[in-house]
Amino acid sequence: MDTATGKRDCIPSCDSCDEPAVYFNPGLQRHLCERHLCLDVEHRVIESVTSHGMVHDGDLVAVGLSGGKDSSVLLSILCCIVPERWDAEIVAITVDEGIAGYREETIQSAVSLTQQLGIQHHIVTFQSLFGKTLDSLLGSYPLRACTACGILRKKAFSDAAREIAATSIATGHNLDDAAQSVLMNYLRGDFERLLRDSSSMEDRGFIRRIKPLHEVNEKEITLYSMINGITGHLPECPYATTAFRAEVRTLQAAIEYQHPGASHRIIQGQESLSEQAKKTVRPCGAVRYCATCGDPCSGPVCQACGLLAGLKK
Ligand SMILES: [Zn+2]
Ligand SMILES: [Zn+2]
């Protein structure tokens, strides 16, 4: 104990004020207190949104709100920073996949957050869109749960966003998610996906997807949500442990722990590769439209309709 200041010696002070630090930012090489950590996170989101032109005047931004901490923090920050800077509206969309024992709690958390923030909230269900819950769909199909769920959830968000004439869909993907996706594409040898430039998707008829938290890591989001009392503890999806991503997450977390900042460098490397590839790889072919639902896609039917047709057989 330092008798002059009354502080415990083992807790370093914030590099921006005298408060005790709660976090060390490896990129900035700075210790941050609760207040300065939150300001730093918000600053990075504003930087991302502004520099990538994610929000424009007149936009209706649909935030994909699962009720978990990433999307809840995203919605809270956007509701705080967007109205001050742009003439744009924010609404939330929650997709209820129908996962027994998991979804009820997260949906309740999503409902109370949107009520607190005073924004419109649309809830769509797999049952109403696809005629079955995820649990019942998976009962008859051997495909990995998270792959099937991811394809159908993306379709559900697109349909719901189109229904309300949203101009973009904001998702809570963070820095760790992005680094894991790069590693997964490498490990699968899926170089088309690795090098894909998502900014070209909008030109091909898809609703623009934005990821305002892509420069914020999971630890920072967890601390931000705890400090601001945004969500309590929510259960993990029961299917999450079956996913390839769960294995890659363990690997990525270990690399980041041993080599702070590695996740950021993984993404920077992918962006450089993607830039280089643009100069040499031929552009995507003409956009096609799904024969079943009319969504833009690369084959005769979209992934969701292909998956649903497979399930019916
Ligand atoms: Zn401070
Ligand atoms: Zn389709």
Side-chain angles (χ1 to χ4, degrees):
M1 175 84 77
D2 181 331
T3 46
T5 62
K7 282 182 188 168
R8 288 161 70 183
D9 297 330
C10 52
I11 302 176
S13 287
C14 173
D15 285 318
S16 298
C17 72
D18 292 334
E19 291 297 313
V22 292
Y23 178 65
F24 178 71
N25 182 321
L28 296 173
Q29 287 287 305
R30 286 173 77 84
H31 288 94
L32 298 169
C33 68
E34 289 188 351
R35 188 169 77 89
H36 282 105
L37 165 67
C38 293
L39 287 172
D40 177 49
V41 167
E42 288 162 13
H43 175 74
R44 261 179 291 150
V45 176
I46 294 168
E47 276 284 310
S48 292
V49 172
T50 309
S51 64
H52 293 271
M54 291 185 191
V55 178
H56 308 100
D57 286 336
D59 272 356
L60 176 61
V61 182
V63 177
L65 180 66
S66 69
K69 64 177 164 33
D70 293 346
S71 61
S72 299
V73 165
L74 170 67
L75 182 66
S76 303
I77 294 180
L78 287 183
C79 283
C80 163
I81 67 166
V82 168
E84 287 179 359
R85 292 170 177 80
W86 293 277
D87 180 19
E89 198 185 333
I90 295 168
V91 297
I93 296 175
T94 298
V95 174
D96 180 355
E97 304 91 349
I99 303 172
Y102 160 72
R103 258 299 167 212
E104 298 84 349
E105 201 180 330
T106 48
I107 285 177
Q108 197 40 53
S109 163
V111 168
S112 53
L113 181 65
T114 52
Q115 284 172 348
Q116 209 179 307
L117 294 168
I119 64 155
Q120 263 189 56
H121 186 203
H122 304 268
I123 302 176
V124 291
T125 67
F126 273 19
Q127 178 73 53
S128 63
L129 289 169
F130 310 124
K132 276 186 173 185
T133 62
L134 182 69
D135 287 341
S136 51
L137 279 169
L138 290 173
S140 56
Y141 202 63
L143 195 73
R144 281 175 181 258
C146 295
T147 307
C149 183
I151 292 169
L152 296 178
R153 205 171 48 227
K154 203 166 182 178
K155 166 95 175 131
F157 274 124
S158 298
D159 286 359
R162 204 173 290 121
E163 183 83 21
I164 58 169
T167 50
S168 59
I169 298 172
T171 60
H173 290 94
N174 62 41
L175 184 74
D176 298 66
D177 297 326
Q180 288 153 21
S181 296
V182 173
L183 290 174
M184 284 165 74
N185 288 331
Y186 264 116
L187 294 171
R188 285 178 174 141
D190 189 344
F191 288 92
E192 195 200 320
R193 215 174 268 265
L194 179 73
L195 301 176
R196 186 182 289 166
D197 174 17
S198 57
S199 65
S200 65
M201 303 287 272
E202 189 190 353
D203 308 334
R204 308 183 76 224
F206 293 90
I207 295 181
R208 190 157 48 100
R209 288 188 173 250
I210 60 173
K211 297 175 183 174
L213 296 183
H214 78 130
E215 293 282 347
V216 185
N217 69 37
E218 199 163 326
K219 193 170 178 186
E220 293 164 336
I221 292 171
T222 304
L223 285 167
Y224 189 96
S225 75
M226 283 166 63
I227 293 166
N228 293 287
I230 292 172
T231 48
H233 174 72
L234 293 171
E236 191 176 23
C237 176
Y239 293 117
T241 51
T242 66
F244 180 41
R245 183 174 287 273
E247 292 172 47
V248 175
R249 180 183 294 129
T250 307
L251 176 72
Q252 174 259 336
I255 295 171
E256 180 64 38
Y257 181 76
Q258 290 292 339
H259 310 278
S263 300
H264 206 258
R265 293 190 291 276
I266 288 170
I267 295 161
Q268 283 175 331
Q270 184 273 340
E271 285 171 353
S272 307
L273 267 178
S274 188
E275 275 304 309
Q276 285 299 318
K278 265 193 220 166
K279 296 173 191 163
T280 51
V281 176
R282 64 184 167 79
C284 301
V287 63
R288 299 170 74 173
Y289 295 92
C290 173
T292 308
C293 74
D295 275 5
C297 57
S298 52
V301 293
C302 74
Q303 274 190 306
C305 291
L307 177 74
L308 291 166
L311 291 168
K312 279 189 192 132
K313 274 177 198 162

